Amino acid sequence: DPVLRATEQARVQWQLYGSEHPAEQVGLGLSALLLLELVREVVAAGGDERPYPRDAYDPDAARAFFVRRPLEVLARAVELGVRSAGFGGALLSDWLAGPAALEANAEERALQLAKVLTALGPTFIKAGQSASIRTDLLAPPYIRGLTSLQDQVPPFPTDEATALIREELGEAEGVEALLDSLSAEPVAAASLGQVYRGALPDGTPIALKVQRPRMARQIALDMLLIREVLAPLASAVGLPGDLVGTADAWGEGFVAELDYSAEAANAALFNANVRQGQLSGSVFAPPVVEGFSSRRVLT
C-alpha cells in the first residue's frame, strides 16, 4: 500500500532521525509532509517500478525513474540539507576565520561529519567508509574521523523482516517452520540488513540475514543526489579528482552488495578453493542453505 509505505517513511524520519533542535524539526517536518504527498506520485507513476531495472547500478535509469517523482527527491533533498546545515555552517565559519581556524578545528569537524553521515543513513555511512581511505581527497583529520564510522543503524521491525522473507522465499517447504524459529529481535543490525538466529526444520542452527525493505530505492535516490548535486558542488569548492566518477564507483559497489545471491556464490567458491589447499578443514565460510536464500535473504 503506497499510503502505508509513505507514512512509515515519515515515521522513521521522526523516530530514528529526529532532533532536539527546532530548526531541524521544522525541516524534518517538511520532509515528512512531502513524503506523505508523494503517495500521489507513487500511484500515478507506478509504485512497482524499480530504479535499477536490471538490478545493477545505472545512473541514467535512476534519473529517469526519479524525474517522475519530484516530491520524493525534494523530500530527501530537504532532509539532507537540514541534517548537514549545522556542519556546513560550522565549516563555513572556520573558512571565513582563515586557514588557522580550519586546521585547529579539523578534528572536531571530522567527528561532526561522521555523525551527520550516520544520521543520513546507509548510503552515506557506506560513502563515508569508502572516503576514509581516499587520502588523495581528504585531509588526515577527516580520514581519521571517518574511520570512526560504524556500520550500525537501528533495526527495522521484525514484522517487516518476516514479510520480506515470505516474499523472497515464497512457498518453499519449511519456510513457516524457519520463521517460527527466528529470534524475536535481530542479534545484529547494519546499514543494509539485519541478522536473526534460528534453526532449520531439522534443528540445525542457522543465522539468517535479511535486507532492509526498499533498500535499492533508497540507495538509488541517494546516489542520484550525490552524483548530480553533491559531487559537482564539492568540485566547485575545490575538492580534487573526478568526483562523479568516484560516485559511480561507489554506486556500483553499494548496489552489488544488495545481491545476497552473489555473496552466497562467492562463499561457495571460497570454500571450494580452500578445500584444495593446506587450510582445508581449518578455514571456511559458513555454508549457505540454498533453499532458504535469495537475492535479499541469506541463510
Side-chain angles (χ1 to χ4, degrees):
D1 186 325
V3 176
L4 293 178
R5 287 201 297 268
T7 303
E8 177 62 16
Q9 289 182 47
R11 182 189 67 80
V12 166
Q13 283 195 40
W14 279 101
Q15 293 190 355
L16 295 187
Y17 305 130
S19 170
E20 298 178 356
H21 303 290
E24 292 190 10
Q25 289 179 350
V26 171
L28 290 173
L30 174 60
S31 183
L33 290 174
L34 287 168
L35 278 168
L36 292 173
E37 285 296 324
L38 76 85
V39 171
R40 295 180 182 178
E41 292 181 4
V42 173
V43 174
D48 292 332
E49 295 181 37
R50 295 177 297 170
Y52 298 136
R54 298 178 182 176
D55 293 324
Y57 177 70
D58 185 341
D60 293 330
R63 187 185 306 108
F65 180 87
F66 286 111
V67 77
R68 303 192 304 275
R69 296 162 174 83
L71 287 179
E72 184 173 359
V73 177
L74 181 58
R76 183 57 168 162
V78 167
E79 183 184 7
L80 298 185
V82 169
R83 277 294 179 196
S84 59
F87 168 76
L91 194 62
L92 177 61
S93 177
D94 291 344
W95 181 80
L96 292 174
L102 280 171
E103 183 177 354
N105 295 326
E107 297 284 353
E108 180 183 355
R109 297 290 174 256
L111 294 177
Q112 289 175 346
L113 176 59
K115 291 179 180 179
V116 169
L117 296 177
T118 300
L120 290 176
T123 308
F124 288 88
I125 292 173
K126 292 289 186 184
Q129 290 171 335
S130 298
S132 69
I133 61 173
R134 294 297 303 270
T135 56
D136 58 322
L137 294 179
L138 300 176
Y142 284 89
I143 296 293
R144 291 191 291 271
L146 292 181
T147 57
S148 69
L149 278 170
Q150 299 295 311
D151 192 18
Q152 295 184 356
V153 294
F156 62 94
T158 293
D159 59 347
E160 290 188 22
T162 300
L164 192 147
I165 294 168
R166 284 197 175 98
E167 177 185 342
E168 287 290 301
L169 302 184
E171 302 298 326
E173 183 179 356
V175 169
E176 292 303 319
L178 176 69
L179 290 172
D180 289 341
S181 77
L182 295 181
S183 52
E185 299 295 333
V187 296
S191 57
L192 300 184
Q194 57 196 36
V195 178
Y196 293 85
R197 286 196 183 97
L200 297 178
D202 64 5
T204 303
I206 55 94
L208 184 148
K209 180 168 69 170
V210 57
Q211 196 171 113
R212 290 180 178 271
R214 300 171 294 281
M215 199 68 255
R217 186 171 182 139
Q218 180 177 345
I219 287 178
L221 177 53
D222 286 344
M223 288 311 306
L224 179 69
L225 291 170
I226 290 173
R227 186 183 194 276
E228 305 286 336
V229 180
L230 298 183
L233 282 176
S235 294
V237 299
L239 205 62
D242 177 10
L243 300 187
V244 171
T246 297
D248 285 339
W250 290 350
E252 290 176 6
F254 300 165
V255 175
E257 285 189 54
L258 298 179
D259 187 358
Y260 290 176
S261 59
E263 183 176 343
N266 290 336
L269 179 61
F270 175 82
N271 284 335
N273 290 336
V274 168
R275 282 195 295 269
Q276 300 175 11
Q278 297 179 348
L279 297 177
S280 179
S282 58
V283 176
F284 62 91
V288 174
V289 184
E290 294 185 2
F292 294 131
S293 298
S294 70
R295 185 176 176 82
R296 296 193 291 170
V297 174
L298 183 61
T299 303

